[in-house]
Amino acid sequence: MLFPFLKRWQFLLQANQFSLYRESHCHYQITVHPDIPLNEQIMDLVGKIPVNLPWQNSIEFILDIPYVQYALIPWQAGLLTPTEHCQYAAMLIETQHNMPADATKITFFDHRYGENAFAAAMASDLFVTLKNIASNARLRFQGCSTPFTHVLNNANKKLPENIILACIGKDISSYAIRYQQCWHSVLSLHMPEAEAAEQIKIISQLAGVPELPWEQVGFL
């Protein structure tokens, strides 16, 4: 095994709480305080990682709403390069989520020729902040991801023709709908009182699709 003593931590950023995990076990958790700078709260929690040899630990940041925003990016035949697709996606996300296009980092979960794409966006300065926090703590930076990142990577591009992927949160839940082999809709809604199955029914009605098979996406 390469780097057998390397311990990998996951830092989960959610709207009202931050959590620090290792091997799917939550070791530390704090409630987010709006009057304390975000970077200070993240650094305090990262500082709880036991000190080992420099760079022996690694860290991955997993972002939930509102630190990441999701979007459906319709296919545009006139866009020829990855840069052009990212610029187009950034403009759409700026319109939908009020995130400045020139200060946004775009990731495509699933982007195929001639089809709509499923994308995520985070503020570029947040990405830099998280990378610097990891570096200052002498942790290997494993990047930023979302719950959808992991499930789609594991799918190996063999996605069902029809499915709703649901990331159920305490405050806001996010849904990505594939219908007839294409990404159909991407939504994030506040429905804390509704059970997961009820949420799926509501989302199906809002998106105008029949009730499809669904899979709950976990944060880890």
Side-chain angles (χ1 to χ4, degrees):
M1 179 187 297
L2 190 63
F3 305 122
F5 302 109
L6 185 66
K7 296 179 180 178
R8 182 163 184 164
W9 294 82
Q10 293 89 24
F11 192 116
L12 176 59
L13 290 83
Q14 295 175 287
N16 295 317
Q17 67 183 24
F18 295 156
S19 308
L20 193 59
Y21 285 81
R22 188 168 70 84
E23 297 178 353
S24 300
H25 175 70
C26 183
H27 288 258
Y28 307 100
Q29 191 172 77
I30 63 171
T31 299
V32 177
H33 295 282
D35 54 337
I36 301 177
L38 187 69
N39 63 324
E40 291 184 14
Q41 298 181 69
I42 297 173
M43 285 189 294
D44 286 344
L45 194 54
V46 168
K48 295 184 180 297
I49 295 176
V51 177
N52 292 313
L53 293 174
W55 316 111
Q56 190 173 10
N57 290 333
S58 71
I59 191 166
E60 173 191 20
F61 294 92
I62 304 173
L63 280 59
D64 191 20
I65 302 291
Y67 305 105
V68 66
Q69 299 292 342
Y70 304 110
L72 179 76
I73 310 300
W75 171 257
Q76 295 292 313
L79 303 180
L80 304 178
T81 68
T83 299
E84 290 175 338
H85 283 283
C86 282
Q87 290 172 342
Y88 175 64
M91 288 189 296
L92 286 182
I93 290 170
E94 180 176 34
T95 301
Q96 296 173 12
H97 300 292
N98 197 29
M99 298 179 69
D102 59 351
T104 301
K105 187 174 180 64
I106 305 291
T107 297
F108 289 98
F109 295 119
D110 188 40
H111 194 191
R112 310 182 194 191
Y113 183 84
E115 297 182 8
N116 296 338
F118 177 19
M122 66 178 293
S124 300
D125 59 353
L126 176 58
F127 180 86
V128 172
T129 295
L130 298 177
K131 186 175 181 179
N132 288 339
I133 288 174
S135 179
N136 292 337
R138 296 191 176 185
L139 299 168
R140 296 173 184 265
F141 179 63
Q142 298 292 333
C144 298
S145 66
T146 79
F148 291 104
T149 306
H150 296 280
V151 71
L152 290 174
N153 284 348
N154 292 335
N156 294 322
K157 302 299 183 181
K158 295 179 181 178
L159 296 168
E161 294 183 6
N162 303 301
I163 193 169
I164 298 177
L165 300 178
C167 180
I168 308 295
K170 292 183 180 179
D171 299 295
I172 297 178
S173 298
S174 299
Y175 319 85
I177 302 174
R178 277 186 66 81
Y179 183 51
Q180 297 180 343
Q181 299 184 337
C182 294
W183 290 111
H184 179 278
S185 305
V186 176
L187 308 93
S188 295
L189 293 177
H190 177 73
M191 292 191 293
E193 304 301 324
E195 297 292 335
E198 183 180 355
Q199 291 188 31
I200 298 302
K201 290 183 179 180
I202 295 171
I203 287 299
S204 300
Q205 293 171 355
L206 290 175
V209 298
E211 290 189 29
L212 306 174
W214 66 281
E215 177 181 339
Q216 185 161 334
V217 175
F219 290 99
L220 295 172

PDB file of all heavy atoms in Angstrom, residues 24-42:
ATOM      1  N   SER A  24     -15.217   7.539   8.267  1.00  0.00           N
ATOM      2  CA  SER A  24     -16.672   7.647   8.431  1.00  0.00           C
ATOM      3  C   SER A  24     -17.113   7.851   9.874  1.00  0.00           C
ATOM      4  O   SER A  24     -18.296   7.722  10.197  1.00  0.00           O
ATOM      5  CB  SER A  24     -17.375   6.402   7.856  1.00  0.00           C
ATOM      6  OG  SER A  24     -17.088   6.264   6.486  1.00  0.00           O
ATOM      7  N   HIS A  25     -16.175   8.169  10.757  1.00  0.00           N
ATOM      8  CA  HIS A  25     -16.509   8.424  12.158  1.00  0.00           C
ATOM      9  C   HIS A  25     -16.314   9.902  12.450  1.00  0.00           C
ATOM     10  O   HIS A  25     -15.260  10.463  12.150  1.00  0.00           O
ATOM     11  CB  HIS A  25     -15.625   7.595  13.088  1.00  0.00           C
ATOM     12  CG  HIS A  25     -15.834   7.907  14.547  1.00  0.00           C
ATOM     13  ND1 HIS A  25     -16.987   7.570  15.218  1.00  0.00           N
ATOM     14  CD2 HIS A  25     -15.044   8.552  15.452  1.00  0.00           C
ATOM     15  CE1 HIS A  25     -16.895   7.978  16.475  1.00  0.00           C
ATOM     16  NE2 HIS A  25     -15.730   8.578  16.641  1.00  0.00           N
ATOM     17  N   CYS A  26     -17.342  10.531  13.035  1.00  0.00           N
ATOM     18  CA  CYS A  26     -17.254  11.943  13.371  1.00  0.00           C
ATOM     19  C   CYS A  26     -16.476  12.104  14.679  1.00  0.00           C
ATOM     20  O   CYS A  26     -16.912  11.647  15.735  1.00  0.00           O
ATOM     21  CB  CYS A  26     -18.652  12.548  13.502  1.00  0.00           C
ATOM     22  SG  CYS A  26     -18.637  14.324  13.846  1.00  0.00           S
ATOM     23  N   HIS A  27     -15.330  12.768  14.593  1.00  0.00           N
ATOM     24  CA  HIS A  27     -14.487  12.982  15.771  1.00  0.00           C
ATOM     25  C   HIS A  27     -14.782  14.314  16.458  1.00  0.00           C
ATOM     26  O   HIS A  27     -14.718  14.400  17.686  1.00  0.00           O
ATOM     27  CB  HIS A  27     -13.011  12.931  15.367  1.00  0.00           C
ATOM     28  CG  HIS A  27     -12.518  11.554  15.035  1.00  0.00           C
ATOM     29  ND1 HIS A  27     -11.766  10.802  15.907  1.00  0.00           N
ATOM     30  CD2 HIS A  27     -12.679  10.782  13.926  1.00  0.00           C
ATOM     31  CE1 HIS A  27     -11.469   9.626  15.357  1.00  0.00           C
ATOM     32  NE2 HIS A  27     -12.020   9.595  14.149  1.00  0.00           N
ATOM     33  N   TYR A  28     -15.082  15.348  15.655  1.00  0.00           N
ATOM     34  CA  TYR A  28     -15.326  16.667  16.215  1.00  0.00           C
ATOM     35  C   TYR A  28     -16.419  17.353  15.400  1.00  0.00           C
ATOM     36  O   TYR A  28     -16.531  17.140  14.197  1.00  0.00           O
ATOM     37  CB  TYR A  28     -14.059  17.537  16.188  1.00  0.00           C
ATOM     38  CG  TYR A  28     -12.862  16.898  16.834  1.00  0.00           C
ATOM     39  CD1 TYR A  28     -11.880  16.283  16.055  1.00  0.00           C
ATOM     40  CD2 TYR A  28     -12.694  16.895  18.221  1.00  0.00           C
ATOM     41  CE1 TYR A  28     -10.774  15.682  16.633  1.00  0.00           C
ATOM     42  CE2 TYR A  28     -11.597  16.298  18.822  1.00  0.00           C
ATOM     43  CZ  TYR A  28     -10.640  15.692  18.019  1.00  0.00           C
ATOM     44  OH  TYR A  28      -9.558  15.096  18.598  1.00  0.00           O
ATOM     45  N   GLN A  29     -17.198  18.193  16.086  1.00  0.00           N
ATOM     46  CA  GLN A  29     -18.273  18.918  15.409  1.00  0.00           C
ATOM     47  C   GLN A  29     -18.522  20.227  16.143  1.00  0.00           C
ATOM     48  O   GLN A  29     -18.492  20.272  17.371  1.00  0.00           O
ATOM     49  CB  GLN A  29     -19.546  18.067  15.380  1.00  0.00           C
ATOM     50  CG  GLN A  29     -20.648  18.584  14.489  1.00  0.00           C
ATOM     51  CD  GLN A  29     -21.780  17.571  14.370  1.00  0.00           C
ATOM     52  OE1 GLN A  29     -22.583  17.431  15.290  1.00  0.00           O
ATOM     53  NE2 GLN A  29     -21.828  16.854  13.255  1.00  0.00           N
ATOM     54  N   ILE A  30     -18.766  21.282  15.377  1.00  0.00           N
ATOM     55  CA  ILE A  30     -19.067  22.581  15.981  1.00  0.00           C
ATOM     56  C   ILE A  30     -20.267  23.204  15.279  1.00  0.00           C
ATOM     57  O   ILE A  30     -20.566  22.896  14.129  1.00  0.00           O
ATOM     58  CB  ILE A  30     -17.867  23.555  15.909  1.00  0.00           C
ATOM     59  CG1 ILE A  30     -17.513  23.858  14.438  1.00  0.00           C
ATOM     60  CG2 ILE A  30     -16.666  23.018  16.680  1.00  0.00           C
ATOM     61  CD1 ILE A  30     -16.474  24.972  14.289  1.00  0.00           C
ATOM     62  N   THR A  31     -20.958  24.065  16.002  1.00  0.00           N
ATOM     63  CA  THR A  31     -22.034  24.860  15.420  1.00  0.00           C
ATOM     64  C   THR A  31     -21.436  26.130  14.827  1.00  0.00           C
ATOM     65  O   THR A  31     -20.600  26.781  15.467  1.00  0.00           O
ATOM     66  CB  THR A  31     -23.076  25.226  16.493  1.00  0.00           C
ATOM     67  OG1 THR A  31     -23.639  24.032  17.033  1.00  0.00           O
ATOM     68  CG2 THR A  31     -24.185  26.089  15.896  1.00  0.00           C
ATOM     69  N   VAL A  32     -21.833  26.453  13.618  1.00  0.00           N
ATOM     70  CA  VAL A  32     -21.302  27.640  12.949  1.00  0.00           C
ATOM     71  C   VAL A  32     -21.878  28.895  13.593  1.00  0.00           C
ATOM     72  O   VAL A  32     -23.087  29.009  13.803  1.00  0.00           O
ATOM     73  CB  VAL A  32     -21.643  27.615  11.447  1.00  0.00           C
ATOM     74  CG1 VAL A  32     -21.161  28.884  10.760  1.00  0.00           C
ATOM     75  CG2 VAL A  32     -21.018  26.392  10.781  1.00  0.00           C
ATOM     76  N   HIS A  33     -20.983  29.846  13.922  1.00  0.00           N
ATOM     77  CA  HIS A  33     -21.404  31.115  14.506  1.00  0.00           C
ATOM     78  C   HIS A  33     -21.260  32.205  13.451  1.00  0.00           C
ATOM     79  O   HIS A  33     -20.153  32.473  12.981  1.00  0.00           O
ATOM     80  CB  HIS A  33     -20.546  31.449  15.728  1.00  0.00           C
ATOM     81  CG  HIS A  33     -20.713  30.488  16.864  1.00  0.00           C
ATOM     82  ND1 HIS A  33     -21.796  30.527  17.713  1.00  0.00           N
ATOM     83  CD2 HIS A  33     -19.950  29.438  17.279  1.00  0.00           C
ATOM     84  CE1 HIS A  33     -21.694  29.565  18.610  1.00  0.00           C
ATOM     85  NE2 HIS A  33     -20.586  28.882  18.356  1.00  0.00           N
ATOM     86  N   PRO A  34     -22.362  32.845  13.084  1.00  0.00           N
ATOM     87  CA  PRO A  34     -22.301  33.836  12.000  1.00  0.00           C
ATOM     88  C   PRO A  34     -21.463  35.059  12.334  1.00  0.00           C
ATOM     89  O   PRO A  34     -21.039  35.787  11.420  1.00  0.00           O
ATOM     90  CB  PRO A  34     -23.781  34.221  11.804  1.00  0.00           C
ATOM     91  CG  PRO A  34     -24.460  33.841  13.081  1.00  0.00           C
ATOM     92  CD  PRO A  34     -23.725  32.657  13.602  1.00  0.00           C
ATOM     93  N   ASP A  35     -21.201  35.320  13.626  1.00  0.00           N
ATOM     94  CA  ASP A  35     -20.434  36.511  13.994  1.00  0.00           C
ATOM     95  C   ASP A  35     -18.936  36.250  14.087  1.00  0.00           C
ATOM     96  O   ASP A  35     -18.165  37.159  14.412  1.00  0.00           O
ATOM     97  CB  ASP A  35     -20.933  37.055  15.332  1.00  0.00           C
ATOM     98  CG  ASP A  35     -20.924  36.014  16.442  1.00  0.00           C
ATOM     99  OD1 ASP A  35     -20.956  34.814  16.109  1.00  0.00           O
ATOM    100  OD2 ASP A  35     -20.878  36.394  17.620  1.00  0.00           O
ATOM    101  N   ILE A  36     -18.502  35.008  13.810  1.00  0.00           N
ATOM    102  CA  ILE A  36     -17.080  34.670  13.817  1.00  0.00           C
ATOM    103  C   ILE A  36     -16.647  34.393  12.386  1.00  0.00           C
ATOM    104  O   ILE A  36     -17.337  33.672  11.662  1.00  0.00           O
ATOM    105  CB  ILE A  36     -16.807  33.437  14.701  1.00  0.00           C
ATOM    106  CG1 ILE A  36     -17.259  33.707  16.143  1.00  0.00           C
ATOM    107  CG2 ILE A  36     -15.320  33.079  14.681  1.00  0.00           C
ATOM    108  CD1 ILE A  36     -17.094  32.509  17.065  1.00  0.00           C
ATOM    109  N   PRO A  37     -15.511  34.955  11.942  1.00  0.00           N
ATOM    110  CA  PRO A  37     -15.062  34.717  10.558  1.00  0.00           C
ATOM    111  C   PRO A  37     -14.995  33.231  10.238  1.00  0.00           C
ATOM    112  O   PRO A  37     -14.560  32.415  11.069  1.00  0.00           O
ATOM    113  CB  PRO A  37     -13.673  35.360  10.526  1.00  0.00           C
ATOM    114  CG  PRO A  37     -13.734  36.432  11.564  1.00  0.00           C
ATOM    115  CD  PRO A  37     -14.610  35.874  12.660  1.00  0.00           C
ATOM    116  N   LEU A  38     -15.411  32.901   9.025  1.00  0.00           N
ATOM    117  CA  LEU A  38     -15.483  31.503   8.595  1.00  0.00           C
ATOM    118  C   LEU A  38     -14.130  30.809   8.696  1.00  0.00           C
ATOM    119  O   LEU A  38     -14.025  29.687   9.203  1.00  0.00           O
ATOM    120  CB  LEU A  38     -15.996  31.448   7.151  1.00  0.00           C
ATOM    121  CG  LEU A  38     -16.297  30.072   6.575  1.00  0.00           C
ATOM    122  CD1 LEU A  38     -17.511  29.462   7.246  1.00  0.00           C
ATOM    123  CD2 LEU A  38     -16.523  30.158   5.065  1.00  0.00           C
ATOM    124  N   ASN A  39     -13.069  31.485   8.245  1.00  0.00           N
ATOM    125  CA  ASN A  39     -11.756  30.840   8.237  1.00  0.00           C
ATOM    126  C   ASN A  39     -11.272  30.528   9.647  1.00  0.00           C
ATOM    127  O   ASN A  39     -10.600  29.512   9.871  1.00  0.00           O
ATOM    128  CB  ASN A  39     -10.737  31.701   7.489  1.00  0.00           C
ATOM    129  CG  ASN A  39     -10.502  33.043   8.151  1.00  0.00           C
ATOM    130  OD1 ASN A  39     -11.427  33.642   8.707  1.00  0.00           O
ATOM    131  ND2 ASN A  39      -9.282  33.526   8.103  1.00  0.00           N
ATOM    132  N   GLU A  40     -11.629  31.362  10.627  1.00  0.00           N
ATOM    133  CA  GLU A  40     -11.220  31.101  12.003  1.00  0.00           C
ATOM    134  C   GLU A  40     -11.895  29.847  12.549  1.00  0.00           C
ATOM    135  O   GLU A  40     -11.265  29.035  13.238  1.00  0.00           O
ATOM    136  CB  GLU A  40     -11.554  32.303  12.884  1.00  0.00           C
ATOM    137  CG  GLU A  40     -10.728  33.541  12.605  1.00  0.00           C
ATOM    138  CD  GLU A  40     -11.036  34.676  13.562  1.00  0.00           C
ATOM    139  OE1 GLU A  40     -11.698  34.404  14.598  1.00  0.00           O
ATOM    140  OE2 GLU A  40     -10.633  35.820  13.279  1.00  0.00           O
ATOM    141  N   GLN A  41     -13.175  29.671  12.236  1.00  0.00           N
ATOM    142  CA  GLN A  41     -13.889  28.491  12.718  1.00  0.00           C
ATOM    143  C   GLN A  41     -13.347  27.219  12.078  1.00  0.00           C
ATOM    144  O   GLN A  41     -13.223  26.175  12.728  1.00  0.00           O
ATOM    145  CB  GLN A  41     -15.385  28.642  12.439  1.00  0.00           C
ATOM    146  CG  GLN A  41     -16.008  29.824  13.162  1.00  0.00           C
ATOM    147  CD  GLN A  41     -17.492  29.946  12.895  1.00  0.00           C
ATOM    148  OE1 GLN A  41     -18.286  29.118  13.349  1.00  0.00           O
ATOM    149  NE2 GLN A  41     -17.882  30.972  12.145  1.00  0.00           N
ATOM    150  N   ILE A  42     -13.026  27.299  10.794  1.00  0.00           N
ATOM    151  CA  ILE A  42     -12.459  26.133  10.107  1.00  0.00           C
ATOM    152  C   ILE A  42     -11.080  25.798  10.671  1.00  0.00           C
ATOM    153  O   ILE A  42     -10.773  24.635  10.946  1.00  0.00           O
ATOM    154  CB  ILE A  42     -12.388  26.392   8.590  1.00  0.00           C
ATOM    155  CG1 ILE A  42     -13.792  26.579   8.013  1.00  0.00           C
ATOM    156  CG2 ILE A  42     -11.679  25.222   7.887  1.00  0.00           C
ATOM    157  CD1 ILE A  42     -13.812  27.003   6.563  1.00  0.00           C
TER     158      ILE A  42
END
